[in-house]
Amino acid sequence: SQKIEQNSEALNIQEGKTATLTCNYTNYSPAYLQWYRQDPGRGPVFLLLIRENEKEKRKERLKVTFDTTLKQSLFHITASQPADSATYLCALEDDKLIFGTGTRLQVFP
Amino acid sequence: DTGVSQDPRHKITKRGQNVTFRCDPISEHNRLYWYRQTLGQGPEFLTYFQNEAQLEKSRLLSDRFSAERPKGSFSTLEIQRTEQGDSAMYLCASSSQLAGDGEQFFGPGTRLTVL
């Protein structure tokens, strides 16, 4: 069955550092992968989409890479801020979205 | 139009009762999705509509769950004979098949507690 894995442990980093989150998947060949941010008690919010033929995509302080050979996507937040603290979800699309469990990021001053 | 809305935001019910949730998508979006999310997990797909047609249902969706989108606009999700295991956040999302990057826009969710 399709499986998407994200680090279940929270990631704690200091303000100003780069946060790197990992998403690995198996038994799937997605055309593209999406990243969402979710704050407690709220619905996910779309951040970035990367297609299988794209190695890297950037949006402001965010960068996503996609390695279809390794079946892995990395999500980077540069110059992190306490306001970046949230849970970050990766999702593969097959008409509907198949989500990973999410990684909680905590940025402390 | 300010986004996807869901009603109610919270619902507490007793085991065995029926509940119905409503989702109003972004008006120009033709696709509407229902997901369920429990604590510490990512959202789990339940079903989705393209216009008024229900195109896919998760195998995890029991016969007690039914969803409708009668006019291709708002949707309802009904759970009959609720069980404690149904307690979760129920999320609705919408998207446009033809526009954007394929992103889905999520509502705030309905938190269901079954006692």
Side-chain angles (χ1 to χ4, degrees), chain A residues 34 36 38 49 96-97, chain B residues 35 37 56 101-104:
Chain A
Q34 301 183 16
Y36 287 77
Q38 187 172 28
L49 175 148
K96 75 276 190 185
L97 290 175
Chain B
Y35 295 86
Q37 187 174 27
E56 188 173 347
D101 258 347
E103 67 266 33
Q104 295 187 12

Side-chain angles (χ1 to χ4, degrees), chain B residues 47-60:
Chain B
T47 188
Y48 91 96
F49 295 83
Q50 182 165 298
N51 301 312
E52 65 275 11
Q54 188 172 17
L55 295 190
E56 188 173 347
K57 288 175 61 173
S58 168
R59 288 174 293 173
L60 302 174

Side-chain angles (χ1 to χ4, degrees), chain B residues 15 37 42 112-113:
Chain B
R15 188 175 53 186
Q37 187 174 27
L112 173 66
T113 302

Side-chain angles (χ1 to χ4, degrees), chain A residues 14-25:
Chain A
Q14 192 172 22
E15 183 176 10
K17 300 292 186 184
T18 296
T20 299
L21 286 68
T22 304
C23 176
N24 295 294
Y25 60 93

Side-chain angles (χ1 to χ4, degrees), chain A residues 32 34 36 38 41-46 49 51 57 89 93-97 99-102, chain B residues 9 31 33 35 37 40-43 45 48 56 89 91 100-104 106-108 111:
Chain A
Y32 47 92
Q34 301 183 16
Y36 287 77
Q38 187 172 28
R42 309 187 78 164
V45 175
F46 172 80
L49 175 148
R51 302 180 190 281
K57 200 155 190 180
L89 299 155
E93 183 155 347
D94 182 18
D95 284 334
K96 75 276 190 185
L97 290 175
F99 282 93
T101 55
Chain B
R9 294 292 308 276
R31 287 190 169 181
Y33 307 79
Y35 295 86
Q37 187 174 27
Q41 300 297 315
F45 169 75
Y48 91 96
E56 188 173 347
M89 175 76 86
L91 294 162
D101 258 347
E103 67 266 33
Q104 295 187 12
F106 283 80
R111 182 168 295 283

